[in-house]
Amino acid sequence: MTTKTGPIMNSVFITLLLPVSLFIIMFSLGLALTLADFRRVVLYPKGISIGLLNLLLISPLLAFVLAVVFKLPPELAVGMVLLGASPGGTTANMLTHLARGDTALSISMTAISSVAAVILTPLILSLASDHFMTGELAVQLDMSGIVVKVLIITLIPLSLGMLVRAKAEAWSLRNEPLAKKIAMVFFVLVVFAALFSERAHIGENLAVVGLAVVSLNVLAMTISYLMSIVSGLNGRQATAVSIELGVHNTTLAMAVGAMVSPTMVIPAAVYGVFMFFTAGAFARWMYQRNA
């Protein structure tokens, strides 16, 4: 039976908490970035190319395959593919640092993929919706409107954070740790709000969704690590690429999915719980290997 608080909770979560949380998270990421992080693609062309290939192509395709293999319901399948298409975030940078990986490479991949997400994520949403949501479930997406919304809640706060960093570097460096803590609080809050607001659907699909997102996390890190090593990257670079594939900006995936259906936030929300355990274990393993 649907509770009276359900629609209200969904409305507040989608219209207020989710976009505000993503705005704060992207602003905190901007505080940690400089233009040098984007220019670094010239210094590390192979590492960034392999990382972005995994992040922008391999990960969405892997998420698509797993959505089909696990026979996820249409809306969950679209949410799964959105999850695979979401960029990395500051947590990936932090875990890469703790794992003795190439933190500069990780930050550059996060920066470039976060900008690319303005176009890529709405595009993936459209393609996934066209494939999985057919017949009575088919939806007409206002792609220009979605792109504008993603721009407002991602690129604008990212740019504002970078502007503050450029104009007040000492203040930014002093307050960056606090900004990251606030962003983490909002991330945890939005994950649990998503799990609570969609608890009825999660209860019905938890086993299959949980297995699907854990498979995505483990396979993405494994494939990206092997591709990195085969391509000639060193252990520290391979660590950065792999963790970037294992720790997505799940808040972005939830925000974009929620523009179509609240149910689409479920894969990213569940992933947000599990990724710290699997990616953390991988980071611990690589910490010893990179010593």
Side-chain angles (χ1 to χ4, degrees), residues 3-107:
T3 63
K4 294 182 179 180
T5 59
I8 297 175
M9 179 63 190
N10 284 337
S11 177
V12 172
F13 172 67
I14 293 170
T15 62
L16 183 62
L17 180 60
L18 194 48
V20 167
S21 298
L22 183 58
F23 194 97
I24 292 172
I25 290 169
M26 296 307 293
F27 178 80
S28 71
L29 174 59
L31 283 180
L33 296 178
T34 65
L35 290 178
D37 297 318
F38 292 89
R39 299 192 191 105
R40 202 175 285 122
V41 66
V42 179
L43 300 176
Y44 303 105
K46 180 187 285 189
I48 290 180
S49 297
I50 292 172
L52 292 179
L53 173 67
N54 279 278
L55 199 58
L56 304 181
L57 182 61
I58 303 299
S59 182
L61 287 175
L62 180 59
F64 174 84
V65 170
L66 290 172
V68 173
V69 169
F70 284 97
K71 299 179 180 179
L72 296 181
E75 291 178 327
L76 293 179
V78 175
M80 179 77 169
V81 178
L82 273 176
L83 169 63
S86 60
T90 54
T91 305
N93 307 151
M94 179 190 69
L95 282 178
T96 298
H97 174 71
L98 294 176
R100 293 173 173 166
D102 192 329
T103 308
L105 175 59
S106 175
I107 292 173

Side-chain angles (χ1 to χ4, degrees), residues 137-143 146:
L137 293 175
V139 292
Q140 295 294 323
L141 300 178
D142 176 15
M143 290 307 299
I146 292 175

Side-chain angles (χ1 to χ4, degrees), residues 13 73 75 105 131 171 202 232 241 261-262 273 279 281:
F13 172 67
E75 291 178 327
L105 175 59
H131 180 83
W171 183 90
I202 292 175
V241 172
S261 167
V273 174

Side-chain angles (χ1 to χ4, degrees), residues 112-159:
I112 296 170
S113 63
S114 294
V115 173
V118 175
I119 301 298
L120 179 67
T121 309
L123 176 62
I124 294 294
L125 171 64
S126 178
L127 294 174
S129 297
D130 287 344
H131 180 83
F132 290 108
M133 302 185 69
T134 58
E136 295 181 357
L137 293 175
V139 292
Q140 295 294 323
L141 300 178
D142 176 15
M143 290 307 299
S144 60
I146 292 175
V147 170
V148 170
K149 289 178 182 177
V150 174
L151 175 69
I152 292 172
I153 59 179
T154 58
L155 200 55
I156 289 179
L158 181 72
S159 301

